[in-house]
Amino acid sequence: MASRALAIRRGAAPCFFSFFSPSRRLSVGSCFEATVATGEGATETGLYGFPVLKTAKGFRRFVDEAIERSGEIVSYISQLPPSMEVIRAMDEISNTVCSVIDSAELCRNTNPDREYVEEANKASMRIHEYLHFLNTNYSLYNAVIKAELGGNLITEEAQRAAQTLRIDFEKGGIHLCAEKLERVNQLNIEIALLGRQFNENIITDPGFVDIFPASRIPKHMQPHFKPIYQPISTASEESLDRRDKKKEKGFRIPTDSSTLSSVLKWVSDAEVRKQSYIKGNSTPQANLGVLDKLISARHELAEIMGCKSYAEFAIRPNMAASPDVVMSFLLDLSKTVRKKADEEFKRIQDFKRQFCNERSADLEPWDEAYFTGMMKSSTYDLDSSVILSYFSLSQCLEGLKVLVESLFGATFHRIPFAPGESWHSDVMKLSLHHPQEGDLGFLYLDLYSRKGKYPGCAHFAIRGGCRVSETEYQLPIVALVCNFPGSPGSSTSRLNHWDVETLFHEFGHAVHSLLSRTDYQHFSGTRVVLDLAETPSNLFEYYAWDYRVLRTFARHDTTGEVIPEKLVEAMNGARNMFPAMEFQRQIFYSLMDLTLFGEQLATPRDTISVVADLKKQHTSWNHVEGTHWHTRFNHLINYGAGYYSYLYARCFAATIWQEICREHPLSHCTGSALRTKFLQHGGAKDPSDLLKELVGNSIVRNCSHGIVPDTSSLLKEIGL
């Protein structure tokens, strides 16, 4: 079972500095001033507009100056009385440190220059070591407590900032005795390293299968694979001179998630699909051990912090508040969806039996994508090449521009880089401009696949928005990183609709960041509780399926014809053929994540058997012996015990779409509601209050001291 690699990239630090993006407050040294001037004669700068990053070794100075400046602010805070200034100065520390963290994170994942990547790795490790000093600094902790209790915080956002800072300090163990605090610091370092190793193993060990003869691979896929050869055995082989032996051509098929997905969908040879599925879902083997160590380290951390499980520790600050609330939510959904999912499974199985003329043929996991694709295409007469022709990447980007202009009255403008700012020739930079408000923020787009690049699609924060003075606002800077085929201007830069949906999803995160107008970068954009964070991205997926939106930009790449409404109706019909099974899959992923990081048995079970049992209990599919697909499920690292947040977001987004957007999806009235009642507030307001102010009280409900979403709009979509 593959999953789309969508993510908000977050820092790996354990405390309040971990969720912030770079901002500039007060007089931080010149290396922290991200340059935004562009055009001819623009001042030479460094990577992402930071002058210090003109060379790879600039990361060393970047760390040095961040530590020096943060030390100055720590001393400054220690002399302050309880006041608003304490919270503002705390925000500057995280702003300064996260300039390094977020720049290094983006560089590590996208820069083609190995020297830059290596220096970014070193900088990341150094700054995370310094974070442990900050996160255990009693002077800062006590200053926050006094500010929180002092009665001098005159804004709701400042009060909320003080409260969350205190809670995050305590999540780092500052309230513990010295011995336990030291162990917490060790565990946090170990957890960060294990997470990095898990992700690196996925990239370096994708697995492969060798397929002979070459004819078993569809012709349209063959150019993407490496040809290989093997001798053809013959009865008279011994009598033949070695030079006369014939060789059989085949292909080496990598089994990374993206390639495996294509193989399972398009290859008719069931044995090829089976081999590819098993290999792809049994690598990397090394991650079985990494995951065991991660589970153990997170569990020990949680116990030291007074929790029964890591799930309790991770979920406590979220809307759900406890793993029991999440588990109840998931089990209710699993029960609700099971009957319809089983019916969908049987339809696919019956189709396979009829197609293969085998009355008792079993439906295997490697059959799903192939036969559902056939069923969708035949039912709705869909041709993937026809769909591709309407979605050139350049036109899709025009669609995003139409979206923000219609909804928010803002326009994207492509702007040139300052010398030294970009990291690859494929990258482009956009400014988001409002006619009355001026520039709202800046967006880097790194959209094309290349060797050594982060393999999925993600939103990276580079600098968060925050208020510098009564008249000045620091503008957010973010990057969208994807892995689409082709190159700028290439005729092959066309997206299947799955990729279009992915682009709109990640764009939802970017819009959340760019439209945020919080006082503190602490709460900028996506810096919200985890079970709210994916809501804007899921909401923007709806726009990728609505004909009223698609007709504004989806045009045939040769004729210029607007995409036909009947084609979009057919695409939506195919999308909705098996909704219960896909929903069931997400429930299973969430249950797996919650269980692996839940309360541990005295004698731990191996993760393969845990996942296999959950799959049998909560899906219609069999577990394939020898496979362990969860060892490439990187959400276990980035969203440990938090994958359920995708289901929360789907429920929230379905309700928002139904109640706010569906009738007039492109109206300025709709956009104004989304912006002023939700997006601009980031994490500065209570998340449940935000949702209720936008939609009404019915969007959430209380459950055992936690909050769960109303599921009715989403279940209605699924046909339940």
Side-chain angles (χ1 to χ4, degrees), residues 661-676:
C661 306
R662 184 175 181 178
E663 187 173 353
H664 300 292
L666 291 174
S667 76
H668 182 68
C669 181
T670 297
S672 178
L674 293 175
R675 183 182 181 188
T676 61

Side-chain angles (χ1 to χ4, degrees), residues 591-626:
L591 284 166
M592 176 200 68
D593 174 49
L594 190 65
T595 302
L596 289 178
F597 296 113
E599 294 185 35
Q600 302 296 304
L601 300 175
T603 304
R605 294 177 62 195
D606 68 278
T607 59
I608 295 178
S609 61
V610 171
V611 173
D613 285 350
L614 287 170
K615 187 175 183 180
K616 292 173 185 175
Q617 292 172 34
H618 297 284
T619 80
S620 309
W621 298 91
N622 293 323
H623 169 71
V624 180
E625 291 300 323

Side-chain angles (χ1 to χ4, degrees), residues 624-651:
V624 180
E625 291 300 323
T627 62
H628 43 84
W629 68 270
H630 59 286
T631 55
R632 58 166 55 174
F633 190 66
N634 64 358
H635 293 84
L636 295 174
I637 308 303
N638 303 327
Y639 288 78
Y643 192 80
Y644 77 92
S645 62
Y646 279 100
L647 290 176
Y648 266 48
R650 283 194 65 188
C651 292

